[in-house]
Amino acid sequence: MGLARLAALHGVATFYEPSEGVTVAVPDATVVAVLAALGVDASGPAAVRDALDRAEAAATGRLLPPTVVLWPEGDVPAPLTGLPAGTTLRVEPEAGGTLEWLIPGAEGVGRLERASAGPRFAADAADGAADGEAAAPAASGGPEPGSGRPAVAAEAGPGRWRLPYGVHQLYAEAPGGRTARATLVVAPARVPQPDGRSHGLLVQLYSLLSARSWGMGDLGDLADLATWSGRSLGASFVQVNPLHAAVPGTPTDPSPYRPSSRRFPDPVHLRVEDIPEYAYAGARDRQRLDELRDKGAGLRESVLQKGALIDRDAVWTLKREALEIVHRIPLGPGRRAAYCDFLAEQGQALEDHATWCALAEVHGPEWHSWPAALRDPGSAGTARARRELMDRVDFHSRLVWLTDRQLAAAGQAARDAGMGVGIVHDLAVGVHPGGADAWAQREAFAAGMSVGAPPDAFNARGQDWGLPPWRPDVLAASGYAPYRGLLRGLLRNAGALRIDHVMGLFRLWWVPEGSPPTDGTYVRYDADAMLAVLALEAHRAGAVVVGEDLGTVEPGVREALSSRGVLGTSVLWFERDWAGTGRPLRPEEWREGCVATATTHDLPSTAARLTGGHVELRHRLGLLTRPLEQERTQDAADVAEWLGVLSGLGLLPEGTGDEEGRIRAVYRFLLRTPARMVGVWLPDAVGDRRPQNLPGTWDQYPNWRLPVADAAGHPVTLEELAASPRLHALMDVFAEAAADAARALPCAPPGALPGARTAPPDARPR
């Protein structure tokens, strides 16, 4: 009983419910191991009693929790309602100044008296306050820190608290001298929303080769894709895979979902020729750069013409040498000033990342095996090594800056093409345990733990993703600084952010090292704080947020996300009445707040699903859990049921025997739903039958290494995509839907429909 109480105090589950009415007990050994990773000794009955006493005493004696959240629509934050009468509260906003209130009597914080005005930083404090209640002044035109936008006031209750959105410092002093300090996060009620309804493309960037890429898709290709699809197809967004920095090595882990750093991008995505200094290479360097470019073209042709897989390591070998040459070319004064500004803006986080990259070149990419003095980024040994490797630290810092600039250029290209949302970047759920983030922020990660998933109907053994989880206690104590920095870094060049496994904002499945995933347990995070930071940073960036909420989702999570404006992810094949008949949901029964898609990078393409090709693939690889004929029969029944729905709605005029027509019908169905955004899996547009990733495989299948290909498996370049009759026939479905919607609004001029664009008459390739 004591262990369960102790676990509950630290957000550690002692049981979980994999399905309704089913409860599974978590092994005591798991609970003890997870508590140890949180710095709590529960190794025996005496240790549990001592830990309980300390935890309960700390909770009783604490005036404030480490982080307090203030929402516009909420009352005074719950942590403040129990403060003793006579307590003085002081807020130091991030924009400067000081505000103070006094809790006058037993009625508590519901009535606050102004203790002192302090330096005014905006409008009068009394403005908008009710009788007997004081309000902090709301910013009325000053810039919101770090955003370049006007500050917006947040209010809680009827005029009780008015503070600008931001991350402020809150201090409390109770009678008798007890004091406390907390981070106060004041967040908008909802993240920004897309304008109207829209459609866009979903693609794994590495898989999109053009006539100029060096063996894998790059940021130049992304900019071209955004420009073309925005102008010619009326697309409002392009969603890509995570572009996080990978762990170096040979071979590199090709998965974009197990990166070295989520905070900083990977320079392998650079278009080398687009770096301004590239044009100023001397004759000797120019010759070598041309040779490297030609070798890059050779890698590209091996993929496109010879059926080779995308070889990220070979691409990086060539690009790294080219970037070393470019790095030797001096920056002009303006470029140097911009680079210095970037270094100052990114601060210690970038220096730590670049230091890890430099040390990894010397000692290997697994920092746990480095000399002991280098395992701590703040040690004297690391400081000495940083000085000795300063040239390499600068090189890796410069690469981050160059990549950031090309990411910004891609975003600008999307805006210039009229995209309403722009580039949708992807946030992986975690990082590699040996990578830069885990080294630079090691105190924030739970040692000896890995994130995964419990057993479910699709995987009876559960999953271990090999990603160390953040410690919720350290996040709260830091005012969520690592999380804030991560979001700000990603959102600086994003029109929207997709969050992989968004349920992780609420809880994560922790698996102790050496244990099977079945012996894990859930650990809770402060979802209110996680959502507040997300809403604040998305507001500052003006970015939409999409959560990947597929799989096991505990009750209330989707509702909480929706209330904050976070869009969900709805995939056609999974949208059924699971609580009732199990039938496919009709279009009008879908939720509005989602991105509707036919598939994802982890699922079969639509062509493979409709033809049963995904079953044959899993059979060849020995991944089926039932006899082949049983799988075929079930899959054929599912497809037939969906085709019946499509035909019944009049969405399949081509007939069930036309493969391209069936794919078009799937997207016609998605357009019938109220979904705010509809995503087209780019390989669907050319009939690709291969998944980009096949969960449950490693070397049995070329995960994350396949180019976009046609129905016969022949790679298709960006230029060929732009000229593809099959692609344009599919995209005509969207143009027709926009035209139908426009006709329903007879007063609306062409192009006035929210989220729709009218392509010029000569936009399509002839």
Side-chain angles (χ1 to χ4, degrees), residues 211-232:
R212 293 194 290 166
S213 48
W214 292 21
M216 62 181 282
D218 60 35
L219 292 172
D221 297 323
L222 177 58
D224 282 349
L225 177 66
T227 298
W228 162 67
S229 61
R231 293 183 182 278
S232 299

Side-chain angles (χ1 to χ4, degrees), residues 19 48 61 86 119 173 235 283 395 431 468 580 605 636-637 678 696:
S19 58
V48 169
E173 183 174 354
F395 173 68
V431 295
S605 68
V678 175

Side-chain angles (χ1 to χ4, degrees), residues 379-721:
S379 72
T382 298
R384 285 194 300 272
R386 182 183 290 118
R387 289 193 297 271
E388 293 167 0
L389 296 170
M390 188 54 66
D391 286 347
R392 301 307 300 168
V393 172
D394 180 65
F395 173 68
H396 290 289
S397 297
R398 181 91 65 90
L399 294 189
V400 171
W401 174 60
L402 293 173
T403 311
D404 177 83
R405 292 299 79 212
Q406 290 196 8
L407 284 167
Q412 187 62 51
R415 290 188 293 274
D416 290 346
M419 285 191 164
V421 175
I423 308 299
V424 183
H425 288 280
D426 199 350
L427 172 60
V429 71
V431 295
H432 193 287
D437 283 1
W439 175 76
Q441 302 172 359
R442 64 178 190 166
E443 72 286 346
F445 290 95
M449 294 290 142
S450 176
V451 174
D456 57 26
F458 300 99
N459 194 327
R461 293 174 294 182
Q463 300 176 58
D464 183 344
W465 301 330
L467 309 169
W470 265 335
R471 286 181 53 165
D473 56 330
V474 174
L475 285 180
S478 70
Y480 293 84
Y483 179 50
R484 286 189 277 122
L486 169 61
L487 290 175
R488 190 166 296 187
L490 286 172
L491 288 166
R492 61 184 281 119
N493 294 312
L497 181 66
R498 174 191 181 270
I499 301 178
D500 193 43
H501 194 69
V502 72
M503 298 82 77
L505 300 181
F506 296 77
R507 65 179 185 176
L508 282 172
W509 184 257
W510 288 23
V511 181
E513 185 177 351
S515 298
T518 50
D519 286 351
T521 189
Y522 280 113
V523 176
R524 289 214 167 271
Y525 294 76
D526 185 341
D528 202 42
M530 299 289 275
L531 286 172
V533 172
L534 176 62
L536 174 63
E537 295 301 336
H539 164 76
R540 286 173 157 168
V544 174
V545 179
V546 178
E548 185 272 297
D549 56 352
L550 304 174
T552 301
V553 185
E554 72 174 315
V557 166
R558 286 196 175 105
E559 293 77 7
L561 292 168
S562 178
S563 72
R564 298 301 173 196
V566 177
L567 303 181
T569 300
S570 293
V571 178
L572 179 93
W573 311 99
F574 301 152
E575 291 299 306
R576 291 177 173 270
D577 179 18
W578 297 111
T581 63
R583 64 173 176 80
L585 294 180
R586 293 181 63 83
E588 63 270 17
E589 296 174 321
W590 283 43
R591 55 182 169 171
E592 178 183 350
C594 74
V595 177
T597 71
T599 189
T600 75
H601 57 265
D602 284 332
L603 296 173
S605 68
T606 305
R609 177 79 70 171
L610 291 171
T611 61
H614 67 112
V615 175
E616 304 302 324
L617 173 62
R618 294 180 65 82
H619 171 64
R620 290 197 302 272
L621 297 176
L623 299 176
L624 296 182
T625 57
R626 297 182 297 180
L628 175 60
E629 286 308 314
Q630 188 176 348
E631 292 277 358
R632 282 174 172 163
T633 300
Q634 179 63 57
D635 184 68
D638 289 345
V639 171
E641 184 177 25
W642 273 105
L643 291 177
V645 170
L646 298 174
S647 295
L649 292 172
L651 302 177
L652 192 49
E654 300 90 344
T656 59
D658 184 326
E659 178 184 309
E660 292 187 43
R662 284 180 288 167
I663 293 175
R664 289 194 290 270
V666 164
Y667 284 98
R668 290 187 187 108
F669 181 96
L670 296 179
L671 285 167
R672 285 277 188 95
T673 72
R676 297 295 300 276
M677 298 166 66
V678 175
V680 180
W681 179 238
L682 189 57
D684 275 357
V686 287
D688 199 340
R689 281 168 162 69
R690 305 171 303 175
Q692 282 295 312
N693 178 52
L694 190 58
T697 64
W698 175 243
D699 56 359
Q700 307 99 311
Y701 186 80
N703 295 319
W704 317 112
R705 288 172 287 172
L706 293 171
V708 175
D710 62 18
H714 299 136
V716 179
T717 65
L718 174 57
E719 292 81 5
E720 290 166 338
L721 279 165

Side-chain angles (χ1 to χ4, degrees), residues 263-299:
R263 172 81 180 263
F264 297 107
D266 197 312
V268 76
H269 300 110
L270 281 168
R271 170 70 62 82
V272 177
E273 299 94 323
D274 287 353
I275 299 171
E277 287 70 38
Y278 180 88
Y280 298 101
R284 185 172 179 179
D285 285 343
R286 170 61 54 206
Q287 180 179 357
R288 183 55 184 161
L289 287 171
D290 289 346
E291 292 171 355
L292 293 169
R293 184 194 60 204
D294 291 344
K295 289 182 178 181
L299 291 177

